[in-house]
Amino acid sequence: MMKKWMFLLLTALLTIGLAACGSDKTTTEDDGGKTEASVGDSVDYKIIGIDPGAGLMKATAKAVDEYGLDEWKLVEGSSAAMTASLKKAYDKKEPIIVTGWTPHWMFAQYDLKYLEDPKGVFGEDESIHTIARKGLKDDLPDAYKVLDQFNWTPDDMGVVMNGIANGDDPEEAAAEWVKENTDKVSEWTNGASKVDGDKITLGYVAWDSEIASTNVIGKVLTDLGYKVTLLQVEAGPMWTGVADGSLDAHVAGWLPSTHADYYKKYEGKFEDLGENLEGTKLGLVVPAYMDIDSIEDLK
Ligand code: PBE
């Protein structure tokens, strides 16, 4: 058994050791009296990002710049890697900062908060648009009609996303939602006739929100008689594909800001069918147990 004096000695040594190892971030006087290690130290100055093509990554890079977060690194990865890191940290109550967005199942699964963005770098709330290739209306008028009428809410999307997050296959989760929401689905298919195996290819990026929406619209088109291919691509190729006609459509245009670059780059080479979901949000997200509130606290 450890003697009490040994314990005390160890504690003292540890304290001295930690104080000696501490960087200038742990000092007391010249940082306004903060005595604890900074948030930056606690997360190794890393913001856990997603795929580099995401508008969220560009917005975060801009935030790092505008808030003067010179020491910080934005880590590239994927949505899946980001949520895996979040889960790992959250389960151990460790600090973590991720790039996040709404709608997303992580807000239902964990107690999280957006960091305030007083400079407004992440922009206002926006919408998700359906984007079709030129000529789709003539070539596949019934699919075009459905895509044009596709419209749902963040709550609808949340149901599908939570199903997938809890282990359902995306196709199953989408089919389940379609089965239980015949009213909504019949509004989308209103005026569209059945077809006989016409082919349609929808592009999407493996963002959790878009996995949900694309599988749902894919299921509705399949039920209408289309032979549907859902093609997972990166963000750039998704926009390029619709512009060059190799993809028929996508339901993943975050506008007006998140995908503004892609929109401008290909303007005139696609058809914007308007909003399919309203009320999205982007930003830096942390577990609610972290003691910071604003991006400014990262400096
Ligand atoms: N997202 C989800 C995407 C759009 C959909 C916010 C990660 C992006 O940042 O481009």
Side-chain angles (χ1 to χ4, degrees):
M1 235 228 293
M2 201 193 277
K3 294 256 165 55
K4 194 173 176 195
W5 67 267
M6 280 177 87
F7 177 75
L8 286 174
L9 182 64
L10 269 174
T11 311
L13 283 172
L14 256 174
T15 313
I16 294 165
L18 281 177
C21 292
S23 71
D24 55 355
K25 288 279 163 185
T26 51
T27 54
T28 45
E29 272 125 54
D30 50 8
D31 65 352
K34 269 191 253 167
T35 47
E36 287 170 34
S38 73
V39 190
D41 284 326
S42 75
V43 297
D44 207 14
Y45 292 91
K46 281 182 188 154
I47 297 169
I48 307 302
I50 54 171
D51 47 297
L56 177 55
M57 291 295 274
K58 285 173 213 161
T60 305
K62 200 168 154 219
V64 166
D65 187 44
E66 289 198 15
Y67 286 93
L69 308 178
D70 307 335
E71 299 166 89
W72 287 76
K73 259 194 305 293
L74 173 57
V75 182
E76 288 180 359
S78 66
S79 294
M82 178 275 285
T83 51
S85 302
L86 179 61
K87 180 183 184 342
K88 209 170 142 210
Y90 195 88
D91 287 347
K92 291 191 265 175
K93 280 225 168 223
E94 283 173 0
I96 185 167
I97 304 177
V98 302
T99 58
W101 67 95
T102 307
H104 197 289
W105 58 262
M106 63 188 186
F107 294 97
Q109 218 84 359
Y110 312 118
D111 191 7
L112 305 171
K113 61 185 175 189
Y114 278 99
L115 293 182
E116 284 155 28
D117 172 22
K119 293 186 199 280
V121 177
F122 287 97
E124 301 287 306
D125 294 2
E126 46 179 6
S127 311
I128 310 180
H129 289 223
T130 301
I131 308 291
R133 71 166 166 86
K134 291 242 166 180
L136 187 71
K137 188 176 188 173
D138 293 332
D139 299 341
L140 301 172
D142 298 294
Y144 178 93
K145 185 156 227 121
V146 174
L147 287 163
D148 198 21
Q149 292 175 158
F150 170 46
N151 191 278
W152 64 345
T153 66
D155 284 346
D156 292 325
M157 189 190 251
V159 171
V160 182
M161 261 193 287
N162 286 328
I164 300 169
N166 290 325
D168 288 355
D169 186 75
E171 260 180 67
E172 276 167 37
E176 179 71 17
W177 188 90
V178 166
K179 198 175 86 191
E180 275 168 18
N181 290 271
T182 45
D183 289 1
K184 241 169 224 185
V185 172
S186 61
E187 279 172 29
W188 308 345
T189 55
N190 187 27
S193 312
K194 287 238 169 199
V195 300
D196 188 18
D198 294 3
K199 288 186 181 143
I200 183 165
T201 303
L202 304 177
Y204 73 104
V205 182
W207 297 315
D208 297 285
S209 35
E210 277 53 35
I211 293 171
S213 55
T214 310
N215 273 277
V216 164
I217 200 74
K219 170 66 177 156
V220 172
L221 291 171
T222 302
D223 289 348
L224 205 63
Y226 284 93
K227 197 169 175 307
V228 180
T229 304
L230 305 184
L231 198 64
Q232 191 197 311
V233 291
E234 296 292 321
M238 177 177 80
W239 281 90
T240 313
V242 169
D244 71 17
S246 58
L247 295 173
D248 290 307
H250 69 74
V251 294
W254 282 51
L255 295 164
S257 4
T258 305
H259 291 165
D261 292 359
Y262 296 126
Y263 198 92
K264 257 188 240 125
K265 184 166 176 199
Y266 297 113
E267 196 150 24
K269 295 186 175 143
F270 58 80
E271 203 182 327
D272 181 354
L273 302 187
E275 297 174 358
N276 61 52
L277 181 146
E278 238 178 295
T280 66
K281 186 174 168 65
L282 303 184
L284 297 186
V285 173
V286 299
Y289 56 72
M290 278 179 77
D291 195 18
I292 50 168
D293 296 308
S294 167
I295 302 174
E296 278 178 334
D297 298 339
L298 302 181
K299 213 169 142 52

